[in-house]
């Protein structure tokens, strides 16, 4: 990056540990402030790290007759610090006397009144409340409080993480390795009845992207055919303030229109009405297309490093002169990443101003409907904001869903990941990582979606060491859909013994083809997905000790089902494998189950197969022996041929009528049960011979 005097860089804070804290970066007055790309995860210099003072606090002999609701931190934007010595003394007295119900109510009330500064200095009270809530069995409140600790505590979090893990194990999304997803894509291509998988990631083309950073976009137009975005491609050799005669990257706003017929984005052109000799970026357009808010940095009429400006489309289709949104919205610091709400009367944005929870926080300002002015900005609160950085808010154009990027929440695949949260009863739900099909090991920023929620657009770096950002488009996967809220739960179980299995579960949307990231089962064989209601799905279940399962289902409301599995470690037989009397010819009906065996052997190279043929008691025993062996060999040859296995991986044996399941055959059904083929899969140590 080229450096300039009188400009400062807002640098991405490196997330040292998934749950803990960030490196503090020094700000230099001779470095460049980008209105979009660079962000700082700085802490308040007055804050000192400390350990939780009540780590060993364990209430005893507790019982509760009431259930406390989720905490509404109503004072966040009203007071800075809540401190009531008399109430604290009463809380301490109740604790000494082990009056746990009263203690909990008083402490709950105290924590509910927290200002932002309390989340820095008084998290020991949150810890106490979490411990007593857990002792009283109020698990939802307990988990909420542990999450608050993990998001905001600036010290050692091992104990809080340990307690949270112990009670919230089944709340965690156990995504399978991304390699499982790509492997299943190849398998999926072979199933003619399934919709082919969509492309994983699409560059938006040379007309949009450049060799320089391209990021911070908004999408608009009747057919979502217009994008306005930020680029640092404008290289100037101009006299710029105190930097004389040097080359600089000038951050400007560009516009590109899509050719619907060709399905291609046209060549990006500078948005001249918005650009100046200063840095501009991070544009957002209202849904009616008449207002654009964007960031401009180090302007003469600016209040801080980067400010938010607004321009309006006049009656003559000319954009008005950009106007600074003023001190109610902007601060002395970095303010950027604006986004309009569905109705256009709320403006979300990110800011590094002091007095927040972390390096950069998400704020919002509401438009006064009488005057048209934007009211004083408010912090969005401690459920979304953390001690680290939250940026790039994006309200969905139709649903009450807010997307944003963060490096401070519990589940991160890289540095900054994209999350979503729902607005429910005037509060935000716990943010949810939209999954590994969107988030990778690099940074994901500036998330935006088309009006039909089919495509997402965002800026992505290839890896953690890669700085250059390009604009990407991507078929919106299920985890990122705003309406994927219906619970589909299940358990993998052997129906006769009740044994549960662990494995990898993949769900395929058969109606719209929306991609779903595969998930691992929990220890008890259970799994959970959030899907879109009233669609047909295919579930594929794979594991190390049972045969693969494929099952079609229609989702209608929250659904729980048992997925019946066949233990591959036991000796099994299939009803479909029933030869004609005296025949060893394979029938087409047998092939589906034989391919279960083939797939298992392909996926588990350390397993071999023993095939044993049996007959009923009719006929000559020697002929029966030969017939049973011939049937086993026919099946063996079929499996080896289709699976391309080594010959010694599959052995065939015949036992004739010597080992009947039913000794005295009376009915034809008795004979059918004895006339069977058994399959015995067994594990082989790779160092040993492949034959028993």
């Amino acid at each position: 990056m080229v450096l300039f005097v009188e400009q400062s860089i807002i640098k991405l804070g490196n997330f040292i540990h998934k749950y803990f804290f960030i490196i503090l970066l020094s700000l230099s007055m001779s470095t460049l402030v980008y209105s979009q790309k660079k962000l700082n995860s700085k802490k308040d210099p007055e804050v000192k790290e400390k350990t939780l003072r009540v780590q060993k606090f364990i209430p005893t002999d507790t019982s509760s007759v009431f259930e406390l609701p989720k905490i509404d931190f109503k004072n966040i934007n009203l007071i800075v610090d809540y401190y009531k010595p008399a109430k604290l003394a009463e809380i301490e007295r109740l604790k000494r006397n082990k009056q746990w119900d009263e203690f909990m109510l008083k402490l709950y009330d105290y924590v509910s009144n927290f200002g932002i500064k309390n989340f820095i200095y008084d998290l020991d009270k949150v810890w106490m409340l979490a411990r007593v809530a857990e002792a009283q069995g109020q698990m939802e409140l307990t988990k909420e409080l542990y999450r608050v600790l993990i998001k905001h505590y600036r010290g050692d979090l091992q104990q809080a993480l340990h307690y949270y893990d112990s009670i919230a194990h089944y709340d965690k999304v156990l995504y399978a390795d991304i390699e499982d997803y790509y492997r299943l894509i190849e398998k999926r291509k072979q199933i003619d009845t399934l919709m082919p998988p969509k492309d994983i990631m699409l560059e938006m083309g040379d007309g949009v992207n450049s060799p320089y950073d391209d990021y911070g976009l908004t999408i608009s137009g009747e057919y979502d055919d217009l994008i306005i975005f930020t680029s640092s491609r404008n290289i100037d050799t101009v006299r710029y303030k105190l930097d004389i005669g040097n080359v600089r990257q000038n951050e400007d706003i560009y516009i590109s229109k899509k050719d619907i017929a060709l399905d291609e984005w046209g060549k990006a052109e500078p948005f001249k009405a918005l650009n100046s000799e200063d840095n501009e970026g991070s544009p957002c357009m209202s849904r009616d297309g008449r207002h654009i808010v964007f960031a401009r940095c180090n302007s003469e009429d600016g209040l801080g490093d980067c400010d938010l400006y607004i321009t309006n489309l006049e009656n003559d289709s000319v954009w008005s002169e950009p106007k600074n949104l003023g001190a109610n919205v902007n601060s002395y610091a970095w303010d950027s990443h604006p986004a309009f709400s569905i109705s256009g009367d709320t403006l979300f944005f990110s800011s590094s101003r002091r007095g927040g929870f972390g390096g950069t926080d998400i704020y919002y300002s509401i438009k006064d409907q009488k005057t048209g002015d934007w009211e004083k900005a408010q912090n969005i609160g401690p459920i979304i904001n953390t001690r680290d950085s939250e940026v790039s808010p994006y309200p969905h154009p139709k649903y009450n869903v807010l997307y944003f990027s963060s490096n401070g929440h519990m589940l991160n695949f890289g540095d900054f990941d994209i999350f979503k949260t729902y607005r429910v009863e005037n509060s935000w739900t716990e943010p949810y990582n939209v999954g590994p099909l969107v988030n990778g090991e690099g940074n994901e920023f500036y998330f935006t979606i088309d009006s039909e929620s089919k495509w997402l657009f965002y800026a992505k770096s290839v890896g953690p060491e890669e700085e250059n950002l390009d604009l990407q488009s991507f078929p919106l996967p299920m985890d990122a859909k705003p309406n994927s809220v219906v619970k589909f739960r299940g358990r993998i179980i052997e129906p006769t013994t009740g044994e549960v299995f662990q494995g990898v579960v993949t769900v395929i949307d058969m109606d719209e083809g929306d991609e779903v990231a595969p998930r691992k089962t929990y220890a008890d064989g259970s799994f959970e997905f959030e899907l879109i209601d009233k669609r047909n799905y295919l579930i594929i279940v794979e594991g190390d000790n049972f045969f693969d399962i494929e099952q079609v289902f229609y989702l209608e409301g929250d659904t729980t089902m048992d997925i019946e599995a066949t233990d591959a470690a036991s000796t099994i037989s299939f009803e479909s494998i029933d030869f004609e009397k005296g025949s060893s010819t394979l029938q087409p009906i047998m092939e589906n189950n034989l391919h279960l065996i083939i797939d298992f052997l392909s996926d588990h190279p350390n397993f071999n197969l023993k095939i044993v043929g049996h007959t009923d008691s009719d006929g000559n025993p020697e002929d029966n022996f030969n017939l049973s062996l011939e049937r086993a060999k026919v099946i063996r040859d079929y499996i080896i041929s289709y699976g391309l296995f080594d010959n010694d991986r599959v052995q065939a044996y015949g036992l004739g009528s010597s080992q009947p399941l039913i000794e005295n055959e009376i009915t034809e059904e008795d004979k059918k049960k004895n006339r069977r083929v058994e399959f015995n899969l067994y594990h082989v140590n790779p160092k040993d011979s492949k034959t028993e």
Side-chain angles (χ1 to χ4, degrees), residues 32-49:
L32 182 64
V33 167
Y34 271 68
S35 68
Q36 269 289 341
K37 184 184 174 188
K38 303 300 180 185
L39 303 166
N40 175 51
S41 298
K42 64 184 180 181
K43 294 179 184 175
D44 189 327
E46 298 178 1
V47 175
K48 296 181 180 180
E49 303 290 0

Side-chain angles (χ1 to χ4, degrees), residues 193-394:
T193 57
L194 293 182
M195 188 177 295
K198 296 177 180 177
D199 292 322
I200 299 305
M201 185 186 300
L202 299 174
E203 291 270 358
M204 294 187 70
D206 294 337
V208 174
N209 287 317
S210 71
Y212 302 94
D213 288 318
D214 303 292
Y215 42 91
L217 78 162
T218 186
I219 186 167
S220 187
E222 183 180 358
Y223 304 104
D224 295 313
D225 58 349
L226 189 71
I227 59 169
I228 310 171
F229 67 98
T230 313
S231 180
S232 58
R233 69 187 67 183
N234 184 10
I235 306 299
D236 291 338
T237 52
V238 297
R239 298 170 64 90
Y240 183 73
K241 296 187 178 180
L242 296 182
D243 189 64
I244 301 176
N246 288 335
V247 176
R248 72 182 180 99
Q249 290 180 225
N250 184 22
E251 194 178 34
D252 279 342
I253 295 174
Y254 286 75
I255 186 168
S256 173
K257 187 170 179 63
K258 189 175 186 178
D259 187 319
I260 300 298
L262 297 177
D263 195 28
E264 291 180 358
W265 290 98
K267 181 176 175 57
E269 301 291 343
F271 202 134
K272 294 182 180 180
L274 277 60
N275 295 327
S276 70
E277 67 175 8
D278 298 313
N279 285 307
E280 287 85 21
S282 191
C284 73
M285 180 179 283
S286 60
R287 295 307 298 175
D288 61 9
R290 302 198 62 83
H291 311 282
I292 296 176
V293 173
F294 64 97
R296 177 176 286 172
C297 296
N298 300 103
S299 179
E300 291 184 359
D301 65 343
L303 303 178
D305 294 336
C306 291
D307 282 9
L308 295 178
Y309 288 72
I310 189 167
T311 177
N312 305 303
L313 188 63
E314 306 290 1
N315 292 332
D316 55 2
S317 298
V318 174
W319 290 96
S320 66
E321 183 68 21
K323 177 183 177 182
N324 191 299
L325 282 178
N328 272 354
V329 174
N330 293 311
S331 69
Y332 66 91
W334 176 90
D335 300 291
S336 188
H337 297 199
F340 284 106
S341 64
I342 299 174
S343 59
D345 61 358
T346 301
L347 183 70
F348 296 89
F349 63 98
S350 297
S351 177
S352 64
R353 65 189 67 186
R354 289 174 64 89
F357 291 97
T360 55
D361 278 6
I362 293 175
Y363 290 78
Y364 66 94
S365 174
I366 299 173
K367 190 175 186 179
D368 188 313
Q369 296 303 311
K370 293 181 179 179
T371 65
D373 296 329
W374 293 96
E375 298 178 355
K376 185 174 178 58
Q378 301 187 64
N379 193 294
I380 204 169
I383 303 302
I384 292 176
N385 290 323
T386 70
R387 68 192 179 287
D388 295 323
S389 287
E390 283 67 46
V391 295
S392 303
Y394 177 76

Side-chain angles (χ1 to χ4, degrees), residues 73-86:
F73 295 103
K74 53 185 177 294
N75 278 344
I76 289 300
N77 291 290
L78 299 178
I79 63 174
V80 175
D81 185 17
Y82 184 73
Y83 178 61
K84 300 293 181 182

Side-chain angles (χ1 to χ4, degrees), residues 26 154 166 220 293 448 463 476 495 513 524 537 545 642 686 691:
S26 299
R154 287 166 161 80
S166 68
S220 187
V293 173
T448 189
L476 194 65
D524 65 351
Y537 295 92
N545 53 353
Y642 269 87
T691 59

